[in-house]
Amino acid sequence: MSLYIQYLEEIETRKNELGLHPKPIDSADLLSEIIEQIKDEGHEHRADSLNFFIYNTLPGTTSAAGVKAKFLKEIILGEATVAEISADFAFELLSHMKGGPSIEVLLDLVIDGTDAAIAKQAADVLKTQVFLYDADTARLKAAFEKGCPICKDILESYAKAEFFTNLPEIDAKIDVVAFIAGEGDISTDLLSPGNQAHSRADRELHGQCMITPEAQQEIAALQKKHPNAKVMLIAEKGTMGVGSSRMSGVNNVALWAGKQASPYVPFINIAPVVAGTNGISPIFLTTVGVTGGIGLDLKNWVKKTDEAGNVVKDENGDPVLEEAYSVATGTVLTIDTKAKKLYNGDQELVDVASAFTPQKVEFMKAGGSYAVVFGKKLQTLAAETLGVEAPLVYAPAKEISIEGQGLTAVEKIFNRNAVGVASEANLHAGSDVRVKVNIVGSQDTTGPMTAQELEAMAASTISSDVDAGYQSGCHTASVWDKKAQANIPKLMKFMNDFGLITARDPKGDYHAMTDVIHKVLNDLTIDDRAIIIGGDSHTRMSKGVAFGADSGTVGLALATGEATMPIPESVKVTFKGKMASHMDFRDVVHATQAQMLKQFGGENVFQGRIIEVHIGTLLADQAFTFTDWTAEMKAKASICISNDETLIESIELAKSRIQIMIDKGMDNAAKTLAGLIKLADERIAGIKSGEQPALAPDNNAKYHAEVLVDLDQIAEPMIADPDVNNDDVSKRYTHDVIRPVSFYEGRPVDLGFVGSCMVHKGDMQIIAQMLRNLEKQGEITFKAPLVVAPPTYNIVDELKAEGDWAILEKYAGFVFDDANPKGEARTKYDNILYLERPGCNLCMGNQEKAEPGDTVIATSTRLFQGRVVADSAEKKGESLLGSTPLVVLSAILGRFPTIAEYTAAVEGIDLTRFAPPSEELTTEPSAEPVRIVG
């Protein structure tokens, strides 16, 4: 059977079973067959084949794009004739293919062709393109140096950035019609559910899962009623896009409420408008910028004050909010992009200048941030090639340097990695900076989209500026079902070919490693001054500064080795007092959130900022528990300030784990992992010599706020509660409700979960020790299921060698088997211990879930509605978050313990200890600039 007939069968299946259009074509073999049918003027499928060729073929570096570009070249040169595709139309189609094969064809026509008119037309198209890579620019430069006048003309256009300046300006006024997508914080799970992760690369199919079918119909109805307005999705009384960056969430919003990027590329939409009472989550806002969208901070609910100006509080001590203006669904508003204000008719509602900074306006004008990033690089290269100074076209980067003010840790990292900065002085928070990215991580449920993004931006290999890139397999580790089997091997091959270290070997030579991505990246980061970009909100390393990012920003970092962002403000977190022996460090983490909110009257000073936590002597594995949680604190990122000895020990530990990866056969031809060990040795030598001590802020650095956590106040285990029955919907699922365990005394627990990135080897040892202690008291029975998913295979191997795995297996009713992995997700749980494969498991929610309506106590980070546990008809599911010993004891008892039961159960167990640093972890400011990159 021909590929085309198979494609028609797939089309019928999608249409009849799913109500969808034909899937876009990325296969060279299928498109080649389609082209042959186009050439045959009497072919029965010719008309449809033309339509598929023109309107349904993916651009960039897909294999289909290569075939399409080649055929268009034949049409332009007169070697093939298609009545419906003139030479002019062929050039237009090439102009929408973004790069890769299309650029190669255009350069062929300019440099190697003999027809001057065709060369000029090709040059005119090239002048509009920005996705050129080293091979393209090297070819253009070589032809210019040989005296090619038309190549000089192209370079002069690039040097002027005419590909940007010739674009139309954004509209002065944009009408929007409000659609309240939800009340309270809106997780990206609402926009792109984790349990539908398998379909993210199929944009039209994935779009069906956004919010609800009813919401989709309501959006469509608003568009029909207000054809000249854009639908604006709103988080009423909350923040839009918390939890993760999730490019698929923005893609879904754009699919339903944006505009088509190109008439010749289906289901790729851009320029959505999203808003929230408390604005947009920082990492989600970055994703909005990728599409040239608009993210508004509405401030439409404000704290109520009395006559004396004091904030009025409710019976729970929370500020009472009152509505400043209405954004009810159906309300038509106007964004004045020049005045940077939001209006209802003539009434000014709020200043929205933060959404229309010069840089964000450029993203909107260019159709997304990628075009700006590539455009700036192309302009610089062209100017250098011509030996001229590039004119100031793009908004100048804001460079803030405050004389006499020291640097925070994040300011030091950004200055050290800055690229193309004009100022010789150190830069402070608020400065716009291009920075070198050291480590990049792609995770497996967003990875297929990252691969698409790389193809769309015509990238073919990882940037040489990146120290290491890693593709994980942890989000699909729990169940090796048909969806995973279809998606993951293709992803691993693509990323392995691209130059990343991959969890699974496409050739099958090394054992599949489903280790949690954040744990692997934490080990691959061997420099406390590194910048890390990862495709997950929990990309929060305890060395360096790490930013969770959308799949596209990950692709951009892999392709260019750079990222662009303002230097964030910092909040300093220090500790005092003594940690009680029965407390776990997870309790300190939760108490930090609670004490911060109390110190600042309910205001979350962490939101959108860097948390610089003075961790001192806590090793990277344990310190990661704090940095990981900062995603739920709504922080942009976190930095651990350690002393020299602890940093050296953490780097040595990372080296040993990288060596294990090498021993498994995971290193690539470029010897990336071996290179990391070399860099680690250099970093350790710098610390020991005193020339490059552990990263520390200057003692005169300026912070947005300083939080002092009192360990003496932490008397019992602390729990983060989704507060699912709060009368105020906006206060549910916020991660801000932190309660002591005594609040829950005797309350039933339906399932316990120890796993995800929030646990380390010590947590597994705690479980083993608790089981040993309890078996001395009699027979151990679980009155609720306990699911345990170790974060990494290394931990499993070490536990086996040390004897702790044996005690876990002794009481387990299920133990994972890599030779025979689960093919279906578990839907019912027995009251036993489940030892699951290393990976995300319940925390991700895309494969495994608790039973609907369960009360879950978990070590994970996710308490969002429907993530770990869905609601049932009778009861709301709730995922409460706590420490490992609390989870284990709760599962054994089938209820939350009393504080007396808890303290007895952990007596003699070495929990994760922590003591405040005895010395001040700051340094004297240097007289020399920190910057070393350029």
Side-chain angles (χ1 to χ4, degrees), residues 471-482:
Q471 172 61 59
S472 82
C474 57
H475 291 74
T476 52
S478 303
V479 185
W480 192 235
D481 57 14
K482 291 181 180 178

Side-chain angles (χ1 to χ4, degrees), residues 857-870:
I857 175 69
T859 62
S860 78
T861 56
R862 297 311 200 191
L863 50 66
F864 302 121
Q865 186 173 17
R867 181 66 176 263
V868 173
V869 54

Side-chain angles (χ1 to χ4, degrees), residues 653-666:
L653 183 61
K655 278 178 56 184
S656 68
R657 289 174 178 164
I658 294 170
Q659 187 60 54
I660 290 171
M661 295 172 73
I662 294 173
D663 294 342
K664 286 182 177 180
M666 296 180 69

Side-chain angles (χ1 to χ4, degrees), residues 88-141:
D88 289 347
F89 189 32
F91 274 119
E92 182 180 353
L93 290 173
L94 283 169
S95 74
H96 285 260
M97 290 181 65
K98 281 201 168 183
S102 61
I103 297 296
E104 183 179 354
V105 163
L106 291 167
L107 287 171
D108 287 346
L109 297 173
V110 167
I111 297 171
D112 300 332
T114 57
D115 190 307
I118 289 176
K120 182 181 184 307
Q121 200 166 359
D124 289 342
V125 175
L126 270 173
K127 292 175 185 178
T128 68
Q129 304 296 295
V130 294
F131 292 101
L132 276 71
Y133 287 85
D134 290 347
D136 303 318
T137 53
R139 189 177 173 195
L140 190 61
K141 180 179 179 181

Side-chain angles (χ1 to χ4, degrees), residues 266-537:
F267 314 122
I268 296 180
N269 285 15
I270 59 173
V273 183
V274 293
T277 291
N278 300 323
I280 317 297
S281 173
I283 52 176
F284 193 65
L285 188 58
T286 300
T287 316
V288 173
V290 168
T291 66
I294 300 172
L296 299 182
D297 188 355
L298 296 177
K299 303 183 181 74
N300 60 312
W301 288 85
V302 296
K303 294 177 183 177
K304 185 177 181 179
T305 56
D306 58 22
E307 293 179 356
N310 299 313
V311 175
V312 178
K313 297 186 177 181
D314 61 19
E315 57 188 20
N316 296 320
D318 296 321
V320 174
L321 301 178
E322 57 183 1
E323 192 175 44
Y325 61 92
S326 174
V327 290
T329 294
T331 305
V332 177
L333 306 169
T334 300
I335 304 170
D336 188 323
T337 65
K338 302 303 180 187
K340 301 179 183 178
K341 297 181 186 297
L342 182 67
Y343 290 88
N344 187 335
D346 295 330
Q347 180 189 2
E348 180 185 322
L349 301 178
V350 67
D351 184 286
V352 291
S354 62
F356 293 96
T357 64
Q359 288 74 25
K360 289 178 182 176
V361 169
E362 287 174 349
F363 296 165
M364 297 171 200
K365 177 178 176 177
S369 56
Y370 299 168
V372 173
V373 173
F374 276 83
K376 287 180 178 179
K377 293 190 74 169
L378 188 55
Q379 183 193 21
T380 300
L381 184 144
E384 290 174 351
T385 301
L386 294 169
V388 300
E389 186 172 339
L392 187 62
V393 169
Y394 294 99
K398 186 190 296 183
E399 296 184 359
I400 300 172
S401 183
I402 304 171
E403 189 174 352
Q405 180 176 307
L407 298 175
T408 64
V410 70
E411 288 169 341
K412 285 189 175 183
I413 293 176
F414 269 69
N415 274 279
R416 184 178 187 275
N417 291 281
V419 176
V421 175
S423 173
E424 294 184 0
N426 288 325
L427 301 179
H428 290 87
S431 300
D432 297 313
V433 186
R434 278 169 55 207
V435 288
K436 177 184 182 296
V437 176
N438 305 91
I439 304 291
V440 185
S442 169
Q443 57 105 321
D444 41 325
T445 52
T446 60
M449 291 196 306
T450 298
Q452 281 187 341
E453 298 287 346
L454 289 168
E455 287 178 330
M457 64 179 77
S460 57
T461 187
I462 190 170
S463 169
S464 59
D465 291 333
V466 176
D467 294 332
Y470 176 71
Q471 172 61 59
S472 82
C474 57
H475 291 74
T476 52
S478 303
V479 185
W480 192 235
D481 57 14
K482 291 181 180 178
K483 295 170 184 175
Q485 292 172 39
N487 292 333
I488 302 307
K490 287 192 299 184
L491 172 65
M492 294 296 167
K493 183 178 188 313
F494 180 94
M495 290 301 188
N496 199 281
D497 291 345
F498 198 82
L500 280 71
I501 304 298
T502 52
R504 291 180 181 272
D505 184 4
K507 297 184 285 292
D509 290 342
Y510 58 79
H511 186 278
M513 187 176 75
T514 58
D515 294 1
V516 177
I517 180 172
H518 320 299
K519 292 296 189 183
V520 179
L521 293 181
N522 205 36
D523 290 334
L524 297 184
T525 304
I526 43 74
D527 194 333
D528 52 326
R529 304 158 303 177
I531 292 178
I532 306 97
I533 297 289
D536 192 289
S537 62

Side-chain angles (χ1 to χ4, degrees), residues 3 7 10 22-32 34 52-53 55-68 97 101 201-203 265-266 268 448-449 451-453 455-456 486-487 490-491 494:
L3 293 175
Y7 184 51
E10 180 192 76
K23 193 173 182 179
I25 296 167
D26 61 3
S27 163
D29 292 337
L30 173 57
L31 196 66
S32 295
I34 285 171
F52 293 141
F53 178 83
Y55 298 105
N56 208 49
T57 302
L58 289 178
T61 55
T62 64
S63 62
V67 172
K68 183 172 181 175
M97 290 181 65
D202 187 344
R203 294 198 184 198
V265 184
I268 296 180
M449 291 196 306
Q452 281 187 341
E453 298 287 346
E455 287 178 330
N487 292 333
K490 287 192 299 184
L491 172 65
F494 180 94

